[in-house]
Amino acid sequence: MKSFGAIVVVAALAAAAAAAVVSVEAVSIEEFGAVAAAKDNAAAFQNAAAVQKAFAAVAMEKDRAARVVEVPKGKEFFIMPITLEQVYGVTLQMDGNLTSCNNMTAWPFEDNAVVKYPDDDDDLAVRSRREGRTGRFLNIISLTNCSDFVWTGEGTIDGVGFDWWVNTIKNKIPHARPHLFVMELCENVVIENIRARNSPQFHFKLDDFRNVTVRNIDIYVDVTKQQQLLGDHGLLDVMSGLPTFPLNTDGIDPRGIDGVFVNLTITNFDDAVAVKPQNGGSHYSHCSENMFVQNARVTFGVGMTIGSVPSNPKCNCVRNVTFTDVTFDHPFKAIYVKTNPGEGTGIIDQINYFNIKIFDSIWWTIYIGPQQQHQPDGTDPGCSMIYPLDPKCPTNPRVPISNITLRNVTMTKPLIGPGIVRCNATKPCTNIVFDNVNQLSGKPIWHNYICDQAQGSVTASSPSPAGPTCFTNQ
């Protein structure tokens, strides 16, 4: 029962965040040179610089009510990368639209160097996030070292990811695409009401945070276009017409402590919300924990996800996460807990899935075990995308999985099967609870679960995952 108390605490944080008040006073990015509707490279650099200058200007205001940066309603601003650092008590009121410049050849790299915008009288610079790698493109918006930040409004941020996806398919930039929004080392943040579209890679990558609320967000990837691009390059399954490797356009990937994610609408071919691990090297917590995801609708998608969690010398950890009141339409996977190989250790503990409705799943409806993935560059974590047709899928003894509860879960017309639960014989999954988990209709290819080395309890669930090496303590 320990996790339920934490759920109440996290829900209280959401209520507190709801009290955030956005002032009507605002500084428009147009006051700093932003030009609407202009699509050329120079205008996109100028618009990005204008956003940064506006943030710098409002930061000087003593009155927090005056620290509001406005993207004006009814206008579209094409942008190159925006990098914001040390942002305290600022609101971004985005009622207009920010659209990524569709010119990959002009897009700046992240290489530990200082990159200046052209014709910048104030010598404003965009500094690398210093990930220790060269060759990665700068993210579309990066926010580092912030507190009491609010991003709200009625607008859309569009990553215009199509050309990035094509070049990823061709294996020209497999690990270098920009993310739409990256936030790192921030606390007391609210992101609400906006729409995000077609990121080159992840849409919201939220790293090493404390107390973040994301609510009323619509994330949309043009999956028809993705499917067409993959089909043109022979990367769709012949039988199903489905992608055979991901383009990694995840919805929200949080890692931190005390996160609330409510009222989400997500359409993509990748993880909808994927809680990533923290470890001993993280700032705010050594475990990614106390996450609460509620009231979401996911179309396609690869699950409300834990991980992947690879083992790590500093112990990668995800703990006390609840997904509740989620509806899936045609998901690849819906409930997804995944490990990965690595050195060191890991922890996956106290994960809850409550009140989940899953319609017409097109791969494994429930999946707990080693990650299935095949990257565009040919790499993978060792588990075949088509397991069990291809038996290659080693389990991970370094990341034990414990205290996973599935309660009030329904599956309607799954295509492949109800699910897979696979753990390691030397470190079996423990206290896995299936409570009222039922397939309501359909005749999947696999009628029963594939289950190995998991213990716990099964109540009022059909089909049952119990078998020769699973739930034998029943």
Side-chain angles (χ1 to χ4, degrees):
M1 298 295 290
K2 179 181 177 182
S3 63
F4 286 97
I7 292 170
V8 172
V9 171
V10 174
L13 289 171
V21 177
V22 177
S23 170
V24 294
E25 300 178 36
V27 173
S28 170
I29 61 174
E30 290 182 304
E31 296 178 35
F32 294 88
V35 179
K39 298 183 179 182
D40 59 278
N41 295 341
F45 277 115
Q46 182 174 324
N47 289 342
V51 173
Q52 294 180 166
K53 289 177 181 178
F55 268 80
V58 300
M60 305 300 292
E61 297 286 348
K62 293 182 179 180
D63 181 6
R64 182 178 172 182
R67 293 186 220 153
V68 181
V69 174
E70 178 192 33
V71 179
K73 186 174 183 178
K75 297 183 178 182
E76 181 179 23
F77 298 87
F78 290 85
I79 56 172
M80 283 292 184
I82 297 170
T83 299
L84 305 167
E85 297 182 357
Q86 299 180 352
V87 174
Y88 307 114
V90 175
T91 292
L92 174 59
Q93 182 75 32
M94 191 181 76
D95 291 324
N97 300 333
L98 296 176
T99 301
S100 177
C101 178
N102 190 26
N103 189 333
M104 290 177 55
T105 59
W107 200 268
F109 280 91
E110 177 182 90
D111 59 1
N112 288 344
V114 174
V115 181
K116 294 182 180 180
Y117 284 125
D119 304 320
D120 193 335
D121 295 334
D122 296 328
D123 199 30
L124 184 67
V126 178
R127 193 172 295 278
S128 163
R129 288 181 58 248
R130 295 179 176 82
E131 292 184 346
R133 294 184 290 177
T134 59
R136 169 170 276 284
F137 290 93
L138 285 166
N139 297 305
I140 296 171
I141 300 181
S142 293
L143 175 62
T144 307
N145 291 316
C146 74
S147 64
D148 303 296
F149 171 70
V150 176
W151 184 4
T152 188
E154 303 173 0
T156 297
I157 178 167
D158 192 332
V160 192
F162 307 104
D163 287 348
W164 298 99
W165 302 338
V166 169
N167 281 274
T168 299
I169 291 167
K170 293 178 179 179
N171 200 27
K172 291 185 177 181
I173 50 166
H175 300 299
R177 286 171 289 161
H179 302 296
L180 190 69
F181 176 71
V182 174
M183 184 186 78
E184 186 174 18
L185 296 172
C186 293
E187 61 180 340
N188 306 326
V189 171
V190 175
I191 302 171
E192 62 180 7
N193 302 331
I194 62 174
R195 295 179 296 274
R197 299 287 183 265
N198 294 318
S199 176
Q201 199 165 357
F202 300 165
H203 286 77
F204 293 93
K205 186 174 185 287
L206 312 178
D207 289 342
D208 205 350
F209 65 77
R210 178 170 61 197
N211 188 21
V212 166
T213 296
V214 178
R215 61 183 176 227
N216 307 325
I217 298 294
D218 185 302
I219 299 171
Y220 179 82
V221 173
D222 188 339
V223 292
T224 301
K225 185 67 172 180
Q226 280 195 345
Q227 199 168 26
Q228 178 185 331
L229 293 174
L230 292 165
D232 289 345
H233 292 83
L235 294 170
L236 294 179
D237 178 74
V238 176
M239 296 294 292
S240 65
L242 300 175
T244 55
F245 68 84
L247 284 167
N248 299 115
T249 48
D250 293 14
I252 304 171
D253 284 18
R255 68 176 89 227
I257 183 168
D258 298 336
V260 177
F261 307 87
V262 295
N263 303 334
L264 310 174
T265 303
I266 301 173
T267 299
N268 67 351
F269 272 156
D270 293 279
D271 296 317
V273 176
V275 180
K276 303 295 187 181
Q278 299 243 100
N279 57 46
S282 303
H283 176 70
Y284 282 115
S285 69
H286 293 167
C287 187
S288 200
E289 60 187 337
N290 304 342
M291 306 280 188
F292 185 74
V293 182
Q294 182 179 38
N295 192 25
R297 183 122 201 167
V298 180
T299 303
F300 300 111
V302 191
M304 289 294 180
T305 303
I306 301 298
S308 66
V309 181
S311 48
N312 183 280
K314 295 183 179 181
C315 188
N316 274 337
C317 175
V318 177
R319 180 172 53 220
N320 191 28
V321 178
T322 293
F323 302 95
T324 185
D325 305 310
V326 181
T327 299
F328 292 91
D329 294 304
H330 298 89
F332 289 79
K333 295 182 176 80
I335 294 172
Y336 194 11
V337 179
K338 50 184 175 178
T339 63
N340 250 341
E343 299 297 323
T345 59
I347 297 169
I348 299 176
D349 185 49
Q350 298 179 50
I351 312 300
N352 303 308
Y353 291 89
F354 299 151
N355 307 324
I356 310 294
K357 297 178 180 179
I358 307 160
F359 297 93
D360 302 292
S361 60
I362 49 185
W363 200 236
W364 297 105
T365 313
I366 297 167
Y367 190 100
I368 301 173
Q371 177 178 224
Q372 292 180 291
Q373 191 171 76
H374 180 75
Q375 293 288 3
D377 63 356
T379 62
D380 62 66
C383 181
S384 170
M385 282 289 292
I386 59 171
Y387 177 88
L389 298 178
D390 178 352
K392 179 188 175 185
C393 191
T395 55
N396 190 343
R398 296 176 179 266
V399 184
I401 299 173
S402 58
N403 300 306
I404 312 293
T405 298
L406 282 60
R407 177 169 293 128
N408 300 330
V409 176
T410 58
M411 298 172 270
T412 302
K413 295 183 179 179
L415 177 63
I416 300 297
I420 289 177
V421 182
R422 293 185 64 243
C423 308
N424 191 271
T426 63
K427 289 282 186 178
C429 294
T430 57
N431 196 29
I432 310 299
V433 175
F434 278 65
D435 179 11
N436 195 30
V437 179
N438 290 287
Q439 179 183 313
L440 301 183
S441 63
K443 296 180 179 180
I445 296 170
W446 266 267
H447 298 292
N448 297 308
Y449 287 87
I450 296 173
C451 189
D452 189 30
Q453 306 300 330
Q455 298 299 332
S457 63
V458 180
T459 305
S461 298
S462 177
S464 170
T469 61
C470 278
F471 301 96
T472 55
N473 56 333
Q474 287 286 287

